[in-house]
Amino acid sequence: SRAPHGGASQCFYCHHSSAEGGNKVVCAPPVFFFSACALLRNTPRTPLPLPLLSVATNGRLPLAMTRLALWLALCACVLGMCAAIDPALSKCSAMPTRSEAAEAALAVDCWLYVGEVRPTEFAYGPTELAQTKEAIERHWTAGGDDWAQHQAHTVVPIVLGPDGFYAVDKHHRCLGLHRAHIPADEKKVLCRIVSKRPSLSVPDFLHYMFNNEFLWTSDAKGLHEMDPHMLPPSWDEMLPDPYRDLAGYVRAHHGFDGGLLYVEFHWANFFRERIPFPLEPRDPALGAWCHVRPYDNACVAEDFDESAWVHENLAQAIDLSQSPEASHLLGYHPGVVV
């Protein structure tokens, strides 16, 4: 019952199937590429019986041309019937290119391997990442419908660019899946392509992303605006930001409204300016380095616990979120903290 996978660099349609007595998520390549091929491949290659067509054509077309026309009509019919063919029959080896598959998937849920998706922000919250990764591994171990439902629960919005797929939300989900100790062929995310700009040059595409607020240009220390060309090209190159965790916990307590792209980073930078971080280089020679990477393990005490630090400062952060100082921030919503 786990979502099946195909070859690399593919975007797969998803639907619900009642096979085997229960609903489950089934993924299949776009039907226009595969279903007809599967049908023809699994059909004996016997000559198609053709009736006399001279009456239909009034003798104006040679029989060979009429046969060709009928074959073309048959192909059109097969394509029209594709939706009724079980996607399990789609075994053809000819796969569409990534851009072809994505073109067919605008606003349609589809599966992508997480390694094919690129981040649009520089940093992540270490505690939230650890919790997400643990949940992924736990559900994968449970297997069966539990894993399938967990995988299908989160939809990652994607923008298709000239050099690949860009996630504009759900970064902790993607990074957690990337780091999870599960088989590589299970590391797929359910995506929805919300915009397509594959024909733009990379500079024009990044300009489009910036203008539409589809990326976050502050780095892990809160410095901004960073050149979008410096965004991490892969999940491995994102950096930890404990203030992103602090903002996430404040949001969970309704200290501000979530649901807006990158809103937690606005609040993380707000808290960063008001709540000090316990910078403590383990070696005096690391002083300069720790100004560059203040949240590096070598720049805090050996017994430093990031999660404990977040909880120790949560009450102060919630108070700040309700103060007039924060009234200019997105999601400012005083008076409903729980």
Side-chain angles (χ1 to χ4, degrees):
S1 60
R2 294 182 180 179
H5 64 277
S9 301
Q10 305 305 326
C11 186
F12 298 92
Y13 283 126
C14 288
H15 69 285
H16 285 86
S17 169
S18 59
E20 299 178 5
N23 289 330
K24 64 176 183 177
V25 175
V26 177
C27 300
V31 293
F32 290 107
F33 292 100
F34 301 111
S35 296
C37 180
L39 179 65
L40 294 175
R41 178 166 291 189
N42 289 279
T43 302
R45 299 185 179 222
T46 56
L48 182 67
L50 297 176
L52 283 175
L53 299 170
S54 59
V55 175
T57 61
N58 288 325
R60 296 175 184 174
L61 293 176
L63 184 58
M65 293 183 64
T66 305
R67 286 173 180 264
L68 176 61
L70 189 56
W71 273 108
L72 293 174
L74 174 63
C75 290
C77 291
V78 169
L79 291 176
M81 295 167 57
C82 281
I85 299 175
D86 189 325
L89 296 177
S90 301
K91 304 290 187 181
C92 298
S93 58
M95 304 292 281
T97 65
R98 178 163 59 187
S99 60
E100 288 172 336
E103 280 288 322
L106 183 62
V108 175
D109 291 351
C110 60
W111 292 98
L112 289 172
Y113 287 102
V114 71
E116 295 182 300
V117 181
R118 299 180 59 163
T120 54
E121 57 194 42
F122 288 88
Y124 63 89
T127 296
E128 184 173 346
L129 174 62
Q131 294 170 348
T132 302
K133 175 177 172 288
E134 187 275 332
I136 289 170
E137 292 172 345
R138 184 177 69 252
H139 286 286
W140 182 82
T141 300
D145 289 340
D146 184 86
W147 172 243
Q149 291 170 9
H150 180 74
Q151 279 286 72
H153 179 72
T154 303
V155 179
V156 180
I158 296 288
V159 175
L160 173 63
D163 55 349
F165 300 99
Y166 287 75
V168 296
D169 200 3
K170 310 300 181 185
H171 284 68
H172 288 89
R173 171 68 183 180
C174 293
L175 184 55
L177 196 62
H178 175 71
R179 293 193 178 182
H181 297 295
I182 65 174
D185 62 359
E186 297 283 0
K187 295 186 176 185
K188 300 180 294 295
V189 285
L190 184 58
C191 303
R192 178 166 295 164
I193 297 179
V194 298
S195 180
K196 299 182 297 179
R197 293 295 185 275
S199 62
L200 295 180
S201 66
V202 171
D204 286 345
F205 173 71
L206 292 177
H207 187 245
Y208 163 80
M209 295 284 282
F210 181 85
N211 284 343
N212 287 275
E213 299 182 347
F214 279 149
L215 46 78
W216 179 251
T217 54
S218 290
D219 72 356
K221 302 187 297 294
L223 295 178
H224 59 280
E225 302 283 344
M226 305 297 292
D227 188 333
H229 285 86
M230 299 174 66
L231 281 167
S234 69
W235 302 106
D236 287 323
E237 297 181 51
M238 294 182 70
L239 295 174
D241 179 2
Y243 289 93
R244 171 60 180 79
D245 273 331
L246 186 58
Y249 273 92
V250 173
R251 181 203 63 215
H253 285 270
H254 302 286
F256 61 88
D257 289 336
L260 301 171
L261 289 181
Y262 311 110
V263 66
E264 293 89 353
F265 284 105
H266 289 280
W267 287 89
N269 288 342
F270 174 75
F271 297 138
R272 196 186 322 270
E273 296 170 356
R274 292 161 176 82
I275 299 176
F277 185 77
L279 191 66
E280 188 178 329
R282 299 179 188 179
D283 185 327
L286 293 173
W289 171 252
C290 290
H291 283 287
V292 176
R293 290 276 185 91
Y295 313 127
D296 193 291
N297 286 334
C299 299
V300 294
E302 291 188 17
D303 60 351
F304 175 73
D305 184 325
E306 193 263 358
S307 179
W309 175 84
V310 168
H311 285 87
E312 288 169 4
N313 290 277
L314 181 57
Q316 181 183 355
I318 290 175
D319 288 342
L320 286 169
S321 75
Q322 304 296 290
S323 70
E325 285 184 85
S327 60
H328 66 286
L329 291 171
L330 289 173
Y332 179 66
H333 192 78
V336 293
V337 174
V338 295

